[in-house]
Structures are given as structure tokens and as C-alpha cells.
Amino acid sequence: MSYSNYVLPDEQRVGRWSLNMAWWALFSAMFWLYIAVACANLVGTTDTIIGMVLSIVVYGSINAVLVKFGARTGLTVELFSRSLFGILGSALATLIFAATAIYYIVFEGSIIAVAFQSFFGGDIKHWYMAVAIYILPLVMGGVHKWLDRLNGFLLPIYFFGLAAAVVVTAVTHSDAAIAWPTAPAEVAPIPGWLTTFLIYMGVWIMMMYTFDYARFGKQKDETFHANITFGWFFYIFTFGFNGLIGIYLVSAWNVAGTETGVVEALIESLGVVGLIVIVVSQTRINSASYYLSSTNLDAFFTRIFRLALPRWVWVIVTGAIAYTVMLTDVLTWILKALAWQGVFVTAWVAIAMVYVLSNRHETGVLPEVRRERLSAIAPGAVVWLGASIIGIWFTEQSAFPVLARLAPIITFVLAGAGFWLTSRMAPPRVLSTSEDVHVDEQQMA
């Protein structure tokens, strides 16, 4: 059994450095360079740095809570969501999770395809196909059996590749010639640093990623994982290191502040070595995204349609969906899709935090996961959907620009407060660890 969709027993947990290397695949996404560049072009370099620092603090704090809970319970996002939202509500969580992972596969895969096309030429559709196919053999196994070794090997290539790009750029460009992005002259409805923080809130899917990975950690290592593997130390490098380098390279080489601009800057500075760095970085991040997408597709179809297939089938399905999406004009709509799913994810994080913090002193109980003891829709699902719908409305309306910008924070507050109130009246079901209960696959599926 792979335990992809079941409570992970202690004997299946992995060592701290094995999990650390597996998770740090997400450090090397080109997206982190791009999002910092996009923020800098929007609000200026100074406000971007302030917003990044605030994001590092908040991400580290939230993930520290979720990591310890995930390590203690061994639950996935879907299993944890069962007691909060019911069977159908938890299935929706897995579907949103899987779709978001595919969005990032498409984004990062497109980066590789663009890099190959810019270096070798050819039809971009053929490069999309190559990108979708080459990674499949790498992501067929279980996360704790291969991902740590793959990413432990590739991490130095990415890290020192970016460092080399900075050195080459510094040697060939004087500081006086660098056009650092500055804040716009017009007065914005909210401060630039807050705009940056809200943009990074749109990537709170990392909290769900964290939850699904943290269950592989041993309880004795939870402090290490909460601070180093998934916490503030990770985000200093993921947001700070990547972001500052992205802003510097794009500014120094004076290329467009887009996802292709980041590619151009790396290739301009390092040539074929830059291409290797791009391929390595995207292989690392996509290996993690393929794993999470395939396991959550598996969970969704198992729960809703009772369609139990090997995970390698869902890996292939993920690749096929990603390639199909790449063929569309993805950049015209993917940001809108990510904004909408970001609302759902923000609401999920708020509810998860309220549940974990409200029950932090409870011992001897776990969230109920047995199918026959749970309803299809729990009160938490109504809160989740309601807060998300309101959040999307705030995001899309144009009558109140400030409220549109603040939609993620409004959604977080509404979801957290709403779940706290409903959980007082109808607490999520729990399973006592003192009971002599055998939870088999039929009860879980």
C-alpha cells in the first residue's frame, strides 16, 4: 500500500533530511523569481522587499502550526478536510488542490519549453510535448522513496547556478546602469508593501502543500521541520533569495518583467549553463507538483466515484491535462484562475488554523476520518463555500477598488470567524485514540 490516501503509520515516516530535501524541491520554482519581479514592477523594489519580509513571517508562522499537526496526525489535506467539511466537501478540497498543482505544472513546464525554444528554436508545441513526457518516469514512485534523492542531487545545481548568474551579471553591469523598479507616481488605493503581501497570499496553496508533506515527518523532528524544512528558514530562501535575484537579473539585463523575461535574463547571463539551471529548477518543482496533483486526483476519484487506480495512472492523467492546458493561451486566463482558487485556499487555511489552534490542548483525539461516520456536507463546508463566494465577489467587483484588493484578507477573516462560530454549535467529529478502533481501507475510501 502506498498510503497516499490513508493515515500514514509511524513506520512509514522518513528521516528529517530526507523530508527536507523532498520539500525543498519547491524552493527552485522560477515562479518565485517572476512573482517578485511582477511585484517590483507594480509597487517598486522597496515596497516589494517589505512585503516579502512580512510574507516570510506569516508563512513561517502558519506553517509551523500546520506542520506539527500534520506530523502528529499523519493526515492528508483530504482526510483532515473530512471532519471539517464532510465527504463531498473534502473531495472539493482535493479537486482544488489538484487543479492548482496542475496550474503550476503548466506554468513551470511552459518556462522549460520557452527556454528550449529560445535556445534551439522549433515549434513550441513540440517542446510542450517533450516537457510533459520527460518527467513522467521520474514521478511514478512514492514521494519518500525518490524525491529526496532527486532533489538533493539537483539542489546545488540550481543554487550555485543562480549565484553564478549574479556574479556574471555584476561583472558585466555597473550599478549605475541598473534600472531598479520604482514605485509608480500615482497614489495607489493601498500601500505598496500591502499589495505585495496580498499577491503572496495568492500562493497560500503552499500551506496545503505543506500539510500533505508534513505527515511524512516523525514527531520527534517536528520542531526542525516547523522552523527549517517548512518554516521561516525555507521562506527566507524561497521568497528572499529567489525574489531579490529575480529583480536584480531582470533589472540589470533590462528585459521584460515577465516569466519569459526571467528566462531571457538567465540565458543572457549564463548561456547553456542558464538553460541547464532552468531545466533543473523546473524538474525539481514539477516533480513535487506532479506528486501532489496525482495523489489528490486519486483521492477525489476514489472518494466520489470509487475509482481506485494505481497512482502512476493519475501521473499520466496529470501530464495529459497539463499538456492540453499548455496548448491554450494559458497566460491570458491562468492568473484569473489562480486568483479564484486562491480565495478558496485562503478560506481553507483560515478554517484549518481555527480548528488546529482551538484544539491544540486536546489530547487523545484525532479528526474523524471514517466514511460511514461522517455526513456528506458538514457545517464547515457551508462556511468555506460562503466565505469563498463572498471573496470572489469582492475580487471581481469594481465599485470598491480597495475592497477588491483586500479580498484575500476579508475572506480569511470571514472563513475563520464563521468556522469558529459554527464549530461551537456543531463541533467537527473526532476519533478517540483510546478506542480500540481498526480503520480499514473500506472505511477510508
Side-chain angles (χ1 to χ4, degrees):
M1 184 191 301
S2 70
Y3 296 100
S4 295
N5 298 322
Y6 306 105
V7 177
L8 195 71
D10 290 341
E11 63 269 17
Q12 291 292 319
R13 307 297 179 94
V14 299
R16 62 168 59 179
W17 291 111
S18 179
L19 182 57
N20 181 277
M21 284 295 97
W23 172 254
W24 274 62
L26 283 90
F27 155 67
S28 59
M30 285 288 133
F31 183 78
W32 305 127
L33 282 73
Y34 163 69
I35 193 173
V37 170
C39 289
N41 288 336
L42 186 63
V43 303
T45 304
T46 301
D47 278 340
T48 295
I49 293 174
I50 296 172
M52 281 196 299
V53 171
L54 182 59
S55 296
I56 290 168
V57 173
V58 172
Y59 270 75
S61 301
I62 292 176
N63 282 326
V65 174
L66 297 181
V67 164
K68 292 178 180 180
F69 185 79
R72 180 169 67 86
T73 62
L75 298 176
T76 62
V77 165
E78 191 273 337
L79 292 175
F80 176 50
S81 298
R82 284 187 174 198
S83 63
L84 305 181
F85 309 131
I87 298 299
L88 294 181
S90 66
L92 177 60
T94 64
L95 187 61
I96 292 173
F97 196 170
T100 305
I102 290 174
Y103 292 156
Y104 288 113
I105 290 170
V106 169
F107 182 91
E108 304 293 340
S110 298
I111 293 291
I112 303 180
V114 168
F116 275 122
Q117 186 190 43
S118 65
F119 204 85
F120 298 110
D123 190 335
I124 191 66
K125 293 181 180 179
H126 296 159
W127 289 119
Y128 286 154
M129 176 67 77
V131 166
I133 291 175
Y134 91 93
I135 201 170
L136 295 181
L138 299 176
V139 294
M140 295 293 188
V143 64
H144 56 304
K145 295 180 180 178
W146 56 267
L147 196 54
D148 58 334
R149 292 187 289 273
L150 172 69
N151 290 307
F153 173 75
L154 296 179
L155 177 61
I157 298 175
Y158 174 76
F159 185 88
F160 289 111
L162 282 190
V166 171
V167 171
V168 170
T169 302
V171 170
T172 56
H173 294 75
S174 66
D175 289 340
I178 298 177
W180 296 98
T182 57
E186 65 272 13
V187 178
I190 60 175
W193 60 266
L194 182 55
T195 296
T196 298
F197 176 77
L198 291 168
I199 289 173
Y200 276 91
M201 275 192 78
V203 202
W204 274 22
I205 189 67
M206 292 289 285
M207 316 302 188
M208 298 177 85
Y209 274 42
T210 294
F211 202 97
D212 263 18
Y213 268 72
R215 75 194 191 106
F216 288 101
K218 299 177 180 179
Q219 289 192 52
K220 67 178 183 178
D221 296 328
E222 66 177 27
T223 300
F224 173 85
H225 290 314
N227 291 300
I228 306 300
T229 302
F230 302 97
W232 58 269
F233 187 80
F234 171 78
Y235 286 103
I236 285 175
F237 281 90
T238 301
F239 292 169
F241 177 81
N242 283 323
L244 294 177
I245 287 180
I247 295 171
Y248 174 66
L249 292 179
V250 169
S251 301
W253 289 98
N254 195 27
V255 294
T258 63
E259 70 290 335
T260 55
V262 174
V263 170
E264 291 174 24
L266 276 173
I267 292 179
E268 286 280 353
S269 58
L270 296 178
V272 68
V273 176
L275 178 65
I276 293 172
V277 170
I278 291 169
V279 173
V280 165
S281 70
Q282 307 315 92
T283 298
R284 296 183 78 240
I285 181 64
N286 272 352
S287 64
S289 294
Y290 264 90
Y291 170 76
L292 292 169
S293 174
S294 60
T295 54
N296 280 278
L297 283 176
D298 184 7
F300 176 79
F301 281 93
T302 299
R303 303 307 179 239
I304 299 302
F305 302 107
R306 299 299 183 94
L307 182 61
L309 298 173
R311 195 180 67 82
W312 63 264
V313 174
W314 298 112
V315 170
I316 294 175
V317 170
T318 295
I321 294 173
Y323 172 68
T324 302
V325 175
M326 286 181 193
L327 296 178
T328 69
D329 190 6
V330 61
L331 294 177
T332 63
W333 59 265
I334 196 169
L335 292 180
K336 176 72 70 176
L338 288 173
W340 281 39
Q341 67 81 24
V343 170
F344 278 94
V345 171
T346 300
W348 184 92
V349 172
I351 291 171
M353 288 294 290
V354 168
Y355 178 88
V356 174
L357 293 176
S358 297
N359 294 277
R360 65 188 182 280
H361 299 306
E362 296 289 338
T363 58
V365 295
L366 294 172
E368 178 63 81
V369 295
R370 290 168 291 182
R371 187 185 186 99
E372 75 279 2
R373 301 204 175 195
L374 294 167
S375 59
I377 298 291
V382 178
V383 173
W384 184 34
L385 291 174
S388 298
I389 291 170
I390 294 172
I392 291 172
W393 180 82
F394 275 120
T395 301
E396 296 299 317
Q397 59 84 33
S398 57
F400 305 100
V402 174
L403 293 181
R405 297 284 188 93
L406 296 176
I409 294 178
I410 295 172
T411 303
F412 184 85
V413 172
L414 288 176
F419 182 75
W420 185 85
L421 289 173
T422 58
S423 63
R424 302 282 77 77
M425 297 180 288
R429 295 195 174 190
V430 295
L431 168 66
S432 174
T433 56
S434 63
E435 295 180 52
D436 183 16
V437 177
H438 172 67
V439 181
D440 61 29
E441 294 185 27
Q442 294 344 356
Q443 291 175 301
M444 301 288 292

